[in-house]
Amino acid sequence: MTHILHLDSSPRGSRSVSRSLTKEFVAGWLQSHPSDRITYRDIGKYPVPPVDEAWIAASFSKSEPLASELTNALRVSDELIDELLIADRYVFGIPMYNFSVPANFKAYIDQIVRVERTFTPNWQGLVTNKKMLIITTRGGSYFNAPSSKQLDFQEPYLRAIFEFVGITDITFIHAENLTMGDEARERSLTTARTAIQSLISAW
């Protein structure tokens, strides 16, 4: 039995394209793998807090055990990391905001990228033998023109940060041109949905 962590980060609710695409993948996956387990995390509707001074103090503290206030400062981080580590695979929906990731997803990253939990002091990733699917949604296109590629800080960042913690088997499906007219939008969504169906069979 495979355990999948399904995470959505769009705050748009039912109007979100990234949510609809991750939902489509998970529904299709469960049709083929009905015994698999899904854990769902919605940081668009329920954002995680950004790290603060207490979090930093607790994360780098050498004291064992931690004082109660420091333990409390890491409570959300511990929950999110435990959830990440117990899963075998990940399906994340992440819209592009200003050429990168939404602030709520950056807050999630800052909570889970933690020394001694997801990487070692020597920068060795501890989240290994996992697979990840990231479905992004974008208003324009970042595949072809060099000038456009240079503005894509989303995929390079996501690939780098997850590889840093040990997740190296990462697949991206980009639904692009969503604000470039109905024809371009539908063409891109069709391509993304075809990729989703193909991945369900091959993943």
Side-chain angles (χ1 to χ4, degrees):
M1 181 180 73
T2 299
H3 182 178
I4 294 177
L5 173 59
H6 172 195
L7 181 146
D8 283 322
S9 60
S10 171
R12 298 187 69 205
S14 61
R15 297 183 301 121
S16 166
V17 176
S18 63
R19 286 174 181 271
S20 70
L21 293 175
T22 61
K23 183 178 179 180
E24 186 173 325
F25 180 90
V26 171
W29 182 266
L30 286 176
Q31 271 194 320
S32 301
H33 307 82
S35 64
D36 283 359
R37 177 183 172 191
I38 307 294
T39 295
Y40 183 61
R41 170 76 57 175
D42 187 344
I43 65 170
K45 189 174 183 181
Y46 304 103
V48 300
V51 301
D52 56 16
E53 184 178 5
W55 189 101
I56 295 169
S59 180
F60 292 96
S61 174
K62 302 299 183 183
S63 299
E64 286 291 345
L66 291 176
S68 59
E69 64 270 18
L70 296 184
T71 299
N72 289 336
L74 294 177
R75 179 180 54 81
V76 171
S77 177
D78 284 334
E79 177 184 336
L80 295 174
I81 291 171
D82 290 345
E83 186 176 79
L84 186 79
L85 293 175
I86 201 171
D88 306 299
R89 301 186 182 195
Y90 314 105
V91 178
F92 285 7
I94 308 172
M96 176 182 275
Y97 282 12
N98 297 319
F99 311 121
S100 188
V101 300
N104 60 356
F105 194 80
K106 180 58 168 62
Y108 174 80
I109 289 293
D110 291 342
Q111 291 283 359
I112 64 169
V113 178
R114 198 171 115 203
V115 67
E116 303 287 10
R117 290 300 315 272
T118 53
F119 70 97
T120 71
N122 293 325
W123 290 18
Q124 296 297 311
L126 298 174
V127 191
T128 56
N129 301 314
K130 313 286 189 178
K131 287 189 176 185
M132 173 172 278
L133 166 63
I134 297 177
I135 298 177
T136 76
T137 48
R138 301 157 165 211
S141 178
Y142 299 85
F143 279 134
N144 298 317
S147 58
S148 296
K149 281 186 174 182
Q150 291 172 5
L151 294 176
D152 180 5
F153 299 98
Q154 185 189 42
E155 179 178 336
Y157 170 69
L158 291 169
R159 191 177 293 280
I161 197 65
F162 283 117
E163 287 183 352
F164 176 72
V165 298
I167 305 170
T168 57
D169 189 341
I170 306 174
T171 300
F172 283 87
I173 295 177
H174 300 300
E176 298 200 309
N177 289 320
L178 299 182
T179 62
M180 297 298 168
D182 291 344
E183 183 179 345
R185 175 188 175 89
E186 289 308 311
R187 185 165 56 246
S188 180
L189 289 176
T190 297
T191 299
R193 290 189 169 110
T194 299
I196 284 170
Q197 293 306 313
S198 296
L199 190 60
I200 288 171
S201 302
W203 204 35

